[in-house]
Amino acid sequence: MDPRLERWHHYTQERNPDLLDDLLAQDCVFISPVVHTPQEGQAISKLYLTGAMQVFNDSFCYTKEIVTPDHIVLEFECEMDGIMINGIDMMTFNEEDKITEFKVMVRPLKAVNMLHGRMKAMLEKLAS
């Protein structure tokens, strides 16, 4: 298994935010499906990823993986409140194998709307 992918899966299993310090580049950009502007920097990217891992429940799982030298694309599924969420995490890596861009895309619209509300509440909780 690709070591970058192995480290990412370790993070998603442990759900330990401290593991993100070794995964994310200082200049990492997080692109959210519910925020119209890219979130720039390791700290804000870490906040969003930490929030997402707390919002998603134990049904969250990756179903497909595409790995290239510079990118990893992971398709995921999760069932929440009777809604089947389907999405992808797209990661771009630098020469040090750190994530420089993390883009999330989610469908269907009902899932996007639900996640928007839950992420807003979680980010407010984490920021306080």
Side-chain angles (χ1 to χ4, degrees), residues 20-21 23-31 38-46 92-102:
L20 290 169
D21 295 334
L23 293 169
L24 303 174
Q26 289 295 318
D27 60 348
C28 183
V29 176
F30 184 84
I31 302 170
Q39 304 300 299
E40 299 181 5
Q42 184 188 53
I44 193 75
S45 297
K46 181 178 176 179
T92 301
F93 292 84
N94 64 16
E95 309 79 44
E96 289 86 40
D97 288 338
K98 297 214 178 209
I99 300 168
T100 58
E101 181 182 271
F102 197 105

Side-chain angles (χ1 to χ4, degrees), residues 99-112:
I99 300 168
T100 58
E101 181 182 271
F102 197 105
K103 183 184 293 185
V104 180
M105 301 174 89
V106 173
R107 59 167 300 282
L109 181 58
K110 188 181 258 189
V112 173

Side-chain angles (χ1 to χ4, degrees), residues 46-62:
K46 181 178 176 179
L47 180 69
Y48 272 81
L49 290 167
T50 299
M53 290 311 297
Q54 292 184 27
V55 164
F56 283 111
N57 60 35
D58 290 340
S59 72
F60 178 91
C61 67
Y62 287 112

Side-chain angles (χ1 to χ4, degrees), residues 15 24 29 37 68 73 83 94 99 104 114 122 124:
R15 296 180 182 225
L24 303 174
V29 176
T37 57
T68 72
V73 179
I83 299 171
N94 64 16
I99 300 168
V104 180
M114 178 182 60
M122 182 57 67
E124 288 171 356

